């Protein structure tokens, strides 16, 4: 069976650091007859990471804290970032580089999109709401899972093929976003404030980044599951 790596996320529970991954990703991967492999964040993981990489067929990068600004040429004070985790950055970016260099399918959601953009030389907004003067709310803690904004989809892109619609109403859980698009990446969708909400690299087998979370709104559009089906098919090829 093929394997997809997912790097975990850490937080402190009862005074101890624990690793976690949202179960929906593990369910989606295993229901496609692919083995989800959680790559834990621990110092020891870096020593053995190559063993994870040697056996992987694709990489899924999911939600998480802010990417370190060093990866996109900025040097904000790190204590101003949301859930900054240097070790997660290091492990996930090493996974990304291996997958990218071996032309393996990569899907990045939210933080994963930011990593893809930074690795292509693009820049990230420290906080999109400073830039857009709150014209569009990209995160709403009071209406977390039901908050939506419109996204317009560009024709002749993979995203358009999946949704077959020129506009969708997406969930939105982010305070950062693409400031400058990285080389080779093409935009697939825009929010009403102009923020790029989806990208792909047409020179890769499958390299897609989405700002929204299709897995958290599966019933809303048939296109949501197609994002994952297309990713999994690329992994199986
Ligand atoms: Mn958004």
């Amino acid at each position: 069976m093929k394997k997809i790596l997912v790097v975990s996320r850490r937080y402190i529970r009862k005074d101890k650091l624990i690793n976690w991954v949202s179960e929906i990703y593990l369910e989606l991967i295993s229901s496609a007859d692919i083995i989800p492999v959680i790559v834990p964040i621990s110092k020891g993981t870096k020593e053995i990471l190559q063993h994870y990489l040697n056996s992987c067929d694709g990489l899924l990068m999911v939600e998480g804290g802010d990417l370190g600004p060093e990866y996109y040429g900025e040097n904000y004070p790190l204590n101003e970032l949301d859930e900054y985790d240097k070790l997660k950055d290091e492990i996930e970016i090493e996974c990304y580089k291996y997958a990218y260099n071996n032309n393996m399918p990569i899907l990045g959601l939210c933080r994963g999109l930011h990593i893809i953009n930074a690795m292509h030389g693009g820049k990230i907004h420290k906080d999109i709401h400073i830039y857009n003067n709150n014209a569009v709310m990209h995160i709403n803690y009071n209406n977390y899972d039901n908050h939506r904004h419109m996204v317009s989809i560009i024709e002749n892109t993979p995203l358009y093929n999946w949704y077959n619609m020129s506009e969708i109403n997406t969930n939105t859980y982010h305070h950062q976003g693409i400031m400058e698009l990285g080389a080779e990446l093409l935009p697939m969708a825009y929010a009403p404030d102009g923020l790029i909400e989806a990208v792909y690299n047409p020179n890769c087998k499958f390299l897609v980044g989405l700002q929204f979370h299709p897995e958290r709104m599966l019933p809303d559009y048939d296109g949501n599951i197609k994002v994952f089906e297309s990713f999994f098919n690329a992994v199986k090829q």
Side-chain angles (χ1 to χ4, degrees):
M1 281 169 87
K2 300 288 188 182
K3 295 184 182 135
I4 292 177
L5 301 190
V6 186
V7 178
S8 67
R9 184 176 179 182
R10 295 192 293 189
Y11 80 113
I12 294 169
R13 178 181 179 274
K14 298 191 195 297
D15 296 328
K16 298 173 196 68
L17 268 174
I18 63 164
N19 277 243
W20 63 280
V21 173
S22 287
E23 188 171 315
I24 180 80
Y25 304 115
L26 310 175
E27 284 292 333
L28 285 167
I29 294 169
S30 57
S31 67
D33 291 325
I34 297 171
I35 301 172
V37 177
I38 299 175
V39 180
I41 305 171
S42 73
K43 292 190 196 94
T45 298
K46 285 179 74 174
E47 318 300 321
I48 59 169
L49 190 57
Q50 193 57 46
H51 296 283
Y52 283 95
L53 299 174
N54 288 344
S55 68
C56 92
D57 304 290
L59 176 66
L60 176 63
M61 298 188 293
V62 296
E63 76 261 84
D66 293 351
L67 180 64
E70 67 193 84
Y71 293 108
Y72 50 93
E74 298 280 4
N75 57 356
Y76 311 129
L78 297 176
N79 60 5
E80 292 178 9
L81 300 175
D82 186 16
E83 203 188 311
Y84 170 67
D85 188 335
K86 184 177 195 293
L87 189 55
K88 176 170 168 68
D89 285 355
E90 289 171 1
I91 291 170
E92 198 157 37
I93 282 171
E94 200 168 327
C95 291
Y96 173 87
K97 285 179 174 170
Y98 182 87
Y100 178 82
N101 289 335
N102 290 283
N103 201 21
M104 285 177 187
I106 299 170
L107 176 60
L109 304 173
C110 202
R111 168 190 157 91
L113 165 71
H114 303 161
I115 293 175
I116 290 170
N117 190 50
M119 292 297 105
H120 282 73
K123 291 205 161 208
I124 306 295
H125 284 295
K126 183 183 173 195
D127 191 327
I128 181 67
H129 302 103
I130 297 169
Y131 168 76
N132 77 1
N133 288 315
N134 295 309
V136 173
M137 272 174 82
H138 289 277
I139 191 161
N140 182 352
Y141 287 106
N142 297 321
N143 190 22
Y144 197 59
D145 280 307
N146 293 317
H147 183 62
R148 298 281 187 275
H149 66 61
M150 294 305 292
V151 158
S152 55
I153 301 179
I154 299 169
E155 287 186 29
N156 300 313
T157 61
L159 196 69
Y160 192 90
N161 291 339
W162 296 324
Y163 288 85
N164 199 26
M165 298 173 90
S166 53
E167 267 196 337
I168 58 171
N169 212 5
T170 64
N171 54 19
T172 183
Y173 302 90
H174 59 107
H175 80 112
Q176 297 202 314
I178 293 176
M179 182 161 75
E180 266 175 40
L181 191 59
E184 289 187 46
L185 295 176
L186 296 180
M188 297 197 286
Y190 291 94
D193 59 359
L195 187 70
I196 294 171
E197 291 260 345
V199 307
Y200 77 115
N201 183 333
N203 304 315
C204 296
K205 185 176 175 187
F206 185 105
L207 177 48
V208 168
L210 305 180
Q211 187 62 83
F212 53 95
H213 283 274
E215 77 286 359
R216 296 187 196 170
M217 53 175 203
L218 288 175
D220 289 17
Y221 299 101
D222 293 341
N224 289 325
I225 195 66
K226 289 185 183 169
V227 175
F228 293 94
E229 288 170 353
S230 181
F231 173 51
F232 297 148
N233 285 337
V235 167
K236 287 177 177 175
Q237 272 168 23

